[in-house]
């Protein structure tokens, strides 16, 4: 089995990580930083906006179980791709909507997804950036599997849990335990 990698940014990486960890065929999800200048970014530097990095997830998936297009569908469903530099109360350029594509196939799939959403909206409103893959920097251990370790925290209940419910409601066939760590 040859795994592929997807890099998505769409607000707080805790939200994206929690959702994609539940998708069948996703083998590993890591929270981290991408797209900035610093070669050793940390959470405080990224949150301050001084590194230019974006909070992202790196998702390793088996394309024989879940396609990149299916991952894109989940990605666009669980965040607002029309919001500039924020998702909910998470505000700043580090929370922008972005797809770092690994190859031309991923770029074309993402561009087509954006085109379809804009057509459905009746105007070009999607602000999701498409960028070539850049170095991914793993976030600190305290940010990995955050929801699994803190699911009772208010942020998790108010912001992340509804995204997980949305995943189960809109994509029940994609949810499962085909993941291995």
């Amino acid at each position: 089995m040859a795994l592929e990698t997807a890099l998505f940014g769409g607000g707080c990486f805790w939200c994206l990580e929690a959702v994609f960890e539940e998708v069948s065929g996703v083998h590993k999800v890591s929270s981290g930083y991408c797209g900035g200048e610093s070669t050793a970014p940390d959470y405080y530097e990224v949150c301050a906006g001084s590194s230019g990095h974006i909070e992202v997830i790196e998702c390793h998936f088996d394309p024989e179980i879940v396609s990149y297009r299916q991952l894109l569908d989940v990605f666009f469903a669980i965040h607002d791709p029309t919001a500039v530099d924020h998702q909910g109360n998470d505000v700043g350029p580090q929370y922008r909507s972005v797809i770092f594509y690994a190859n031309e196939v991923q770029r074309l799939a993402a561009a087509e997804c954006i085109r379809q959403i804009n057509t459905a909206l009746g105007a070009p409103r999607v602000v999701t950036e498409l960028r070539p893959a850049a170095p991914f920097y793993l976030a600190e251990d305290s940010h990995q599997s955050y929801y699994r370790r803190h699911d009772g925290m208010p942020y998790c209940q108010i912001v992340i849990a509804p995204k997980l419910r949305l995943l189960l409601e809109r994509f029940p066939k994609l949810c499962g335990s085909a993941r291995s760590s």
Side-chain angles (χ1 to χ4, degrees):
M1 147 187 61
L3 295 181
E4 293 184 19
T5 302
L7 278 170
F8 300 125
C12 175
F13 48 34
W14 298 339
C15 296
L16 294 175
E17 179 189 61
V19 169
F20 282 94
E21 282 182 334
E22 298 304 318
V23 175
S24 294
V26 171
H27 287 255
K28 183 178 180 184
V29 182
S30 300
S31 290
Y33 316 110
C34 195
E37 298 301 317
S38 172
T39 58
D42 65 41
Y43 185 71
Y44 299 103
E45 179 184 19
V46 173
C47 286
S50 60
S51 72
H53 285 285
I54 303 160
E55 287 193 13
V56 299
I57 59 160
E58 181 182 62
C59 183
H60 297 278
F61 67 99
D62 182 345
E64 302 225 356
I65 298 172
V66 62
S67 70
Y68 184 72
R69 175 56 195 242
Q70 289 172 309
L71 295 179
L72 288 169
D73 290 341
V74 170
F75 171 71
F76 283 112
I78 63 166
H79 84 293
D80 180 359
T82 67
V84 177
D85 291 352
H86 75 90
Q87 290 294 309
N89 290 330
D90 295 322
V91 178
Q94 69 272 25
Y95 299 116
R96 74 183 62 158
S97 179
V98 62
I99 297 168
F100 289 94
Y101 56 88
N103 53 48
E104 187 65 5
V105 171
Q106 286 187 357
R107 187 191 71 74
L108 290 171
E112 176 60 15
C113 220
I114 290 169
R115 187 196 65 72
Q116 289 174 353
I117 295 167
N118 280 332
T119 297
L121 293 173
R125 295 183 42 212
V126 173
V127 297
T128 304
E129 296 176 17
L130 295 181
R131 294 186 181 184
F136 172 80
Y137 299 96
L138 189 65
E140 298 79 356
D141 288 345
S142 62
H143 297 293
Q144 306 304 322
S145 298
Y146 189 86
Y147 181 78
R148 287 184 186 194
R149 294 181 298 108
H150 303 286
D151 63 343
M153 300 290 288
Y155 182 88
C156 292
Q157 288 301 305
I158 294 167
V159 179
I160 300 174
K163 292 177 186 287
L164 289 167
R165 285 192 295 276
L166 178 68
L167 173 71
L168 290 169
E169 291 167 8
R170 294 218 20 216
F171 304 98
K173 292 181 180 178
L174 292 181
C175 301
S177 59
R179 178 179 8 95
S180 63
S181 294

